[in-house]
Amino acid sequence: MSIQIKEEPKQYDVVIVGSGAGGGMAAYTLAKAGAKVCLLEAGGYYDPADPQYVTQLKAPWESPRRGAGTTRAFGDFDAAWGGWQIDGEPYTTVKGTEFHWFRSRMLGGRTNHWGRISLRFGPDDFRRGSLSGIGDDWPITYDDMKPYYDKVDRLIGIFGSVENFPNEPDGIFLPPPKPRLHELMIQKAAKGIGIPVIPSRLSILTQKINDERGVCFYCHQCNRGCVAYADFSSSSVLVIPALKTGNLTLQNHAMVREVLTDPQTGLCTGVSYVDTRTREEIQVKAKVVVLAASACESARLLLNSKSGRFPQGLANSSGVIGKYLNDSTGAGRQGFIPALMNRKRYNEDGVGGMHVYTPWWLNNNKLDFARGYHIEYGGGMNMPGYGFGMGMQNMNGKYAYADGNTHPAGGYGSRLKEDARRFFGAYVGFAGRGEPIPLESNYCEIDPDKVDKYGIPVLRFHYKWSDHEIKQAKHMQETFAQIIDAMGGTPVGDFKPSAENNYGLAAPGQIIHEIGTVRMGKNSGKSALNEWQQAHDVKNLFVVDAAPFVSQGDKNVTWTILASAMRTSEYIIDQVKANKL
Amino acid sequence: MKRRDVLKNIALTSVGVATAATGAKADPALNEEELSAKKKKKSPLAGRTQAEADRDAKLLSETFFTPAEMATITILCDIILPADATSGSASQAGVPAFIEFIAKDMPQQQTPLRGGLMWLENQSRKRFGAGFAAISPAQRIQIVEDIAYPEKATPAMKQGTAFFNLMRDLTMTGFYTTEMGFKDLGYIGNQPNVWQGVPEEVLKQFGF
Ligand SMILES: Cc1cc2nc3c(=O)[nH]c(=O)nc-3n(C[C@H](O)[C@H](O)[C@H](O)COP(=O)(O)OP(=O)(O)OC[C@H]3O[C@@H](n4cnc5c(N)ncnc54)[C@H](O)[C@@H]3O)c2cc1C
Ligand code: SF4
């Protein structure tokens, strides 16, 4: 078989790989500034307002499996084409270690169904190394990032409240939605035991910010994508507007295989991709290459871009690429609140996420683990879907019915309808999301034996939690139990947090905040990128997803991806203007 | 206004519910030729990927349970959720067809379901000399009483209890994910609205 490689004749100013948070922001910023940009996306086209993709406001009976997660990890109506496993695109793990890798293959990547929890890092999150003696500092500070966080707040829109809370900087906020009933109860109970609960910060429009986007109509379904463009998805808010400039060429179904370099100059000349429909190999030439394929995928691309001049992979003279992979910690618990039984019915959907949350409120100097976590809350009279009413035998024997009688657990008949009604909306959910310690020994690398269906060598993961994360999960569980208790409730289920089950600490990767695989730093012997997310070894190569991040705070990272991608894009524009690129 | 039209208007306006109801003029920014052309195109996929739509169609064209098994499933579903003063029965809500689909969609459920039905059939023959569908309603209840209460069931009935738990789970989910189930429950969301906080009387009730 002879593979013919097609070369696109045109040379772009910039080629961007991946259209998620980082790639979308780079495409938007660069195209708006007048650069001729080519955006390559492995997945198909997606527009949350296009009827062919819309799942918003669908009722469960519109899915034969009532929305179960058989073919989509988060259910039939979730706006993610992809999941933990993708046909023909495997990854492997080193024996005795664990990593789960969630990928979306679509315009906008994982920003179509993400939780919209949009937290800036605080000043301390950039200097954990020097503050605690564990881990490393970033090469930049909060002050470097603040103007970009502000711009992202204004451009995309975010609700929240000004709190002056330590290390939880306030942004430019739209009004937050009022708390739901269980959220008021959590707030009250937590306050009594010294745990703050403040309005959440989500990128959802509670007010109009421009003519291109609508306002939230409180359907609680942001993970399905919003026909009104009232929440942030890279597809609707960045890429589609960028296309309207006329400066952006979007190529879907373009799976980038490697970054191309000129052996003489050592500079990038473009990228080579496989058209996933025709399996044709196509080369795109550009003056600047920007990777935004998501943290692990960008590392994979660089490690796979080997040449005589770059034998360890591109931009990897330090050997650091793939190392320091880290994901948020996560642990959860559910509580049952008897006071909420037999509630009055009203439409409690609200926005597609919690209306309140708890930022990290303690001092680690007084604790046996090094980093903090925040708490996300769930609950309410939510729309039933697959799973509703299951496990009733674990609940219905414990509480008396309206007539004052108790019946043995399980059963059948009309009492089960009463069960469904009396327990509806009487549960609260707790999810801790915390900062892990980035370790050199947690990494992804190229699997020496395996390729995917396009012949691209795949990633192999090696990841183990340290004691810090396990102790943090223990603390989370203790906190959840205290709040449930203060609410007069009881924890749900047989789960007993213990050392044997790591206190319910989620396996690495499961929280889907993976970062750190193409580190930035001042020292080119220890990092791959400089403080502008520009390769130390190759000046026209940039990475704008979460791969460059030195650490992730206890803040979900997407708002920081957006701010730093904007910062790097503006730097690229300045460098081009100054003739330095 | 049909739901579809409400949606369309919301997509094209910026003040959510208020304008949706009045059908105000579309927002020019989203009215671009390309976008509106796309919106007009009716899609057969409606939120499914092609591969998912193909898989669903294939499953829907297949049959898993025999007519006799379906008859027993229907009887069981209606014992679990009978019609009463508040709402209809599980079979009126289409639960048996849902269970048929789940068996095809989640092959790991096939053995517990088919095997459980056989277990039940066997019990029925042993105790009453005929299959579950052929015995009297009172005789059926005698068997159900033995397997419906996991904490009280005798060791000999444990497998039957596991099967009944599974049937209860699927019947509950199958019922409450229908329009009839929504009405029974009093769920009134999944529609455009404006959230203005917890209603006053509820705040009062809970001491806020
Ligand atoms: C269920 C869920 C909830 C989440 N909730 C939150 C939250 O509330 N807050 C938060 O901050 N974060 C959240 N996240 C994480 C968030 O989605 C990610 O941080 C963010 O999307 C990462 O952006 P990215 O640009 O790095 O990558 P992605 O969004 O993953 O986009 C990468 C894109 O690149 C494409 N691509 C990959 N490889 C190639 C290639 N070789 N060639 C061409 N294209 C390629 C992919 O198809 C994809 O479209 C959540 C994630 C999930 C799954
Ligand atoms: S909750 Fe609001 S922003 Fe989210 S999808 Fe629904 S209408 Fe859109």
Side-chain angles (χ1 to χ4, degrees):
Chain A
M1 190 175 82
S2 79
I3 298 182
Q4 231 200 324
I5 297 182
K6 262 205 334 211
E7 263 188 53
E8 279 210 13
K10 179 170 172 180
Q11 189 193 36
Y12 292 93
D13 293 327
V14 184
V15 63
I16 300 169
V17 182
S19 66
M25 180 56 86
Y28 181 89
T29 311
L30 292 162
K32 283 268 177 184
K36 296 291 172 204
V37 180
C38 176
L39 177 59
L40 300 175
E41 167 52 53
Y45 187 79
Y46 173 77
D47 173 352
D50 184 332
Q52 69 177 303
Y53 309 120
V54 171
T55 57
Q56 191 182 25
L57 295 189
K58 287 204 170 180
W61 53 87
E62 293 178 70
S63 150
R65 61 184 65 73
R66 310 292 160 85
T70 316
T71 59
R72 292 192 195 186
F74 298 102
D76 266 3
F77 301 115
D78 194 59
W81 306 340
W84 299 107
Q85 298 296 337
I86 297 178
D87 252 0
E89 297 185 40
Y91 56 90
T92 61
T93 43
V94 175
K95 230 180 139 193
T97 79
E98 197 173 355
F99 193 79
H100 301 262
W101 191 17
F102 194 102
R103 292 164 289 175
S104 288
R105 291 272 176 267
M106 61 199 297
L107 187 67
R110 293 175 292 181
T111 66
N112 295 303
H113 71 127
W114 71 307
R116 273 82 182 176
I117 299 169
S118 305
L119 304 171
R120 329 180 151 199
F121 286 16
D124 293 352
D125 296 319
F126 294 91
R127 52 180 192 216
R128 288 286 170 205
S130 49
L131 285 175
S132 69
I134 301 173
D136 297 293
D137 286 353
W138 285 52
I140 55 173
T141 66
Y142 178 70
D143 291 337
D144 294 313
M145 286 289 282
K146 182 179 183 302
Y148 298 94
Y149 281 129
D150 288 350
K151 283 194 212 181
V152 171
D153 286 1
R154 285 201 188 90
L155 175 70
I156 292 176
I158 173 175
F159 69 69
S161 57
V162 173
E163 300 283 335
N164 295 309
F165 201 88
N167 201 43
E168 206 74 20
D170 298 318
I172 296 148
F173 293 135
L174 303 169
K178 288 185 184 157
R180 303 176 178 94
L181 180 58
H182 67 278
E183 294 171 329
L184 287 171
M185 293 171 78
I186 290 170
Q187 204 160 30
K188 191 168 151 191
K191 196 175 170 196
I193 51 177
I195 300 169
V197 177
I198 64 172
S200 56
R201 298 170 171 187
L202 308 186
S203 41
I204 293 171
L205 304 185
T206 51
Q207 272 177 1
K208 186 176 163 77
I209 64 164
N210 62 36
D211 287 341
E212 290 171 339
R213 297 176 59 198
V215 173
C216 177
F217 53 86
Y218 303 98
C219 77
H220 194 55
Q221 296 167 14
C222 293
N223 73 312
R224 300 185 182 191
C226 186
V227 294
Y229 295 174
D231 57 7
F232 171 70
S233 296
S234 174
S235 50
S236 54
V237 178
L238 296 173
V239 180
I240 291 170
L243 283 168
K244 292 184 187 162
T245 63
N247 291 326
L248 178 64
T249 305
L250 168 65
Q251 188 62 59
N252 284 102
H253 311 286
M255 176 65 75
V256 176
R257 173 191 304 283
E258 63 183 307
V259 181
L260 305 171
T261 45
D262 179 332
Q264 254 76 53
T265 62
L267 292 175
C268 302
T269 56
V271 301
S272 186
Y273 74 85
V274 193
D275 183 314
T276 59
R277 296 160 305 179
T278 63
R279 303 179 70 79
E280 252 180 329
E281 191 77 26
I282 299 164
Q283 295 190 346
V284 177
K285 286 181 283 186
K287 292 177 207 156
V288 172
V289 174
V290 174
L291 300 185
S294 80
C296 297
E297 193 78 46
S298 289
R300 178 188 179 202
L301 269 168
L302 291 171
L303 292 171
N304 274 331
S305 302
K306 280 190 185 137
S307 62
R309 188 158 175 163
F310 300 106
Q312 301 197 79
L314 189 59
N316 195 24
S317 61
S318 64
V320 82
I321 293 182
K323 292 174 181 163
Y324 297 100
L325 168 63
N326 67 98
D327 181 29
S328 289
T329 57
R333 204 77 194 273
Q334 247 206 341
F336 173 70
I337 312 298
L340 283 171
M341 281 169 74
N342 295 307
R343 306 176 53 179
K344 182 179 160 53
R345 303 295 196 255
Y346 52 93
N347 185 342
E348 194 181 36
D349 284 347
V351 304
M354 64 203 177
H355 293 184
V356 299
Y357 85 116
T358 292
W360 179 235
W361 70 105
L362 294 171
N363 183 344
N364 287 97
N365 293 336
K366 297 176 187 145
L367 297 163
D368 62 352
F369 56 95
R371 301 283 195 271
Y373 61 89
H374 70 262
I375 310 173
E376 302 172 3
Y377 299 107
M381 295 185 283
N382 296 324
M383 177 158 58
Y386 185 83
F388 182 92
M390 290 190 179
M392 199 50 91
Q393 68 277 10
N394 302 320
M395 285 299 294
N396 69 353
K398 295 180 186 159
Y399 301 92
Y401 286 83
D403 62 9
N405 293 325
T406 307
H407 296 295
Y412 59 93
S414 277
R415 73 175 275 204
L416 293 176
K417 291 187 185 173
E418 186 175 343
D419 288 332
R421 292 189 296 263
R422 66 189 180 136
F423 294 137
F424 184 48
Y427 297 90
V428 288
F430 299 79
R433 297 286 180 262
E435 176 171 9
I437 308 291
L439 297 174
E440 196 176 357
S441 56
N442 287 336
Y443 56 84
C444 57
E445 61 187 346
I446 300 300
D447 186 313
D449 302 321
K450 265 203 170 154
V451 295
D452 67 10
K453 68 175 165 190
Y454 310 110
I456 307 174
V458 307
L459 282 182
R460 180 168 71 184
F461 292 92
H462 180 284
Y463 198 126
K464 284 181 177 176
W465 288 127
S466 78
D467 240 26
H468 285 288
E469 290 83 29
I470 296 167
K471 285 181 175 149
Q472 194 193 54
K474 178 168 185 278
H475 194 274
M476 291 179 190
Q477 292 291 357
E478 289 163 2
T479 306
F480 304 157
Q482 278 168 23
I483 301 177
I484 292 171
D485 189 56
M487 294 177 78
T490 48
V492 173
D494 296 333
F495 176 74
K496 294 268 176 302
S498 71
E500 283 69 54
N501 55 33
N502 272 354
Y503 304 94
L505 177 61
Q510 280 181 336
I511 306 302
I512 324 182
H513 297 151
E514 71 285 358
I515 70 147
T517 45
V518 189
R519 281 200 144 190
M520 58 168 141
K522 290 202 168 119
N523 180 343
S524 61
K526 289 184 164 181
S527 58
L529 309 169
N530 68 15
E531 70 272 32
W532 298 102
Q533 309 192 116
Q534 176 181 32
H536 289 300
D537 301 346
V538 189
K539 73 172 184 186
N540 64 342
L541 173 66
F542 297 81
V543 183
V544 299
D545 48 33
F549 297 178
V550 178
S551 59
Q552 60 174 299
D554 51 60
K555 319 287 193 317
N556 309 356
V557 289
T558 308
W559 217 242
T560 301
I561 298 177
L562 289 161
S564 65
M566 184 192 265
R567 179 172 176 267
T568 291
S569 302
E570 290 191 1
Y571 173 78
I572 293 172
I573 296 160
D574 291 346
Q575 292 291 295
V576 168
K577 280 189 188 147
N579 266 327
K580 289 188 186 154
L581 262 182
Chain B
M1 197 159 34
K2 288 203 194 99
R3 136 95 61 65
R4 203 176 52 239
D5 299 328
V6 173
L7 253 186
K8 197 171 79 198
N9 273 320
I10 283 174
L12 295 174
T13 57
S14 310
V15 280
V17 134
T19 7
T22 60
K25 209 172 113 254
D27 182 335
L30 278 183
N31 222 354
E32 261 206 9
E33 227 175 281
E34 210 184 290
L35 283 175
S36 64
K38 256 199 209 111
K39 280 188 183 114
K40 273 186 211 122
K41 215 170 56 195
K42 281 291 277 178
S43 166
L45 286 177
R48 308 298 287 151
T49 66
Q50 191 63 54
E52 289 168 336
D54 293 348
R55 182 175 178 277
D56 284 359
K58 180 171 169 288
L59 293 183
L60 286 166
S61 73
E62 293 167 356
T63 308
F64 179 72
F65 291 116
T66 63
E69 286 171 327
M70 277 311 275
T72 304
I73 287 173
T74 305
I75 294 167
L76 273 177
C77 286
D78 284 350
I79 290 174
I80 293 170
L81 292 181
D84 63 11
T86 319
S87 53
S89 68
S91 64
Q92 284 166 350
V95 173
F98 162 69
I99 295 177
E100 157 78 13
F101 184 83
I102 290 298
K104 293 178 292 194
D105 189 47
M106 305 179 185
Q108 74 275 15
Q109 299 290 23
Q110 289 178 1
T111 299
L113 283 169
R114 176 157 276 162
L117 287 166
M118 283 291 274
W119 183 97
L120 189 71
E121 207 54 13
N122 199 31
Q123 274 293 315
S124 179
R125 280 185 207 289
K126 270 192 198 151
R127 284 162 72 166
F128 302 109
F132 194 74
I135 60 178
S136 75
Q139 290 170 327
R140 288 178 197 145
I141 291 298
Q142 279 187 45
I143 300 178
V144 166
E145 277 287 321
D146 288 342
I147 58 178
Y149 305 99
E151 289 165 14
K152 290 185 9 183
T154 63
M157 291 292 124
K158 284 285 181 206
Q159 293 89 356
T161 307
F163 169 62
F164 197 80
N165 281 345
L166 175 59
M167 284 301 294
R168 191 196 296 108
D169 279 354
L170 291 174
T171 304
M172 288 292 273
T173 272
F175 182 83
Y176 282 101
T177 51
T178 62
E179 266 178 292
M180 192 189 287
F182 273 25
K183 278 210 191 90
D184 177 284
L185 195 63
Y187 172 71
I188 46 176
N190 195 34
Q191 54 182 319
N193 73 108
V194 179
W195 168 254
Q196 285 167 325
V198 181
E200 229 14 81
E201 71 269 26
V202 177
L203 285 176
K204 248 191 229 125
Q205 182 196 342
F206 285 86
F208 288 107

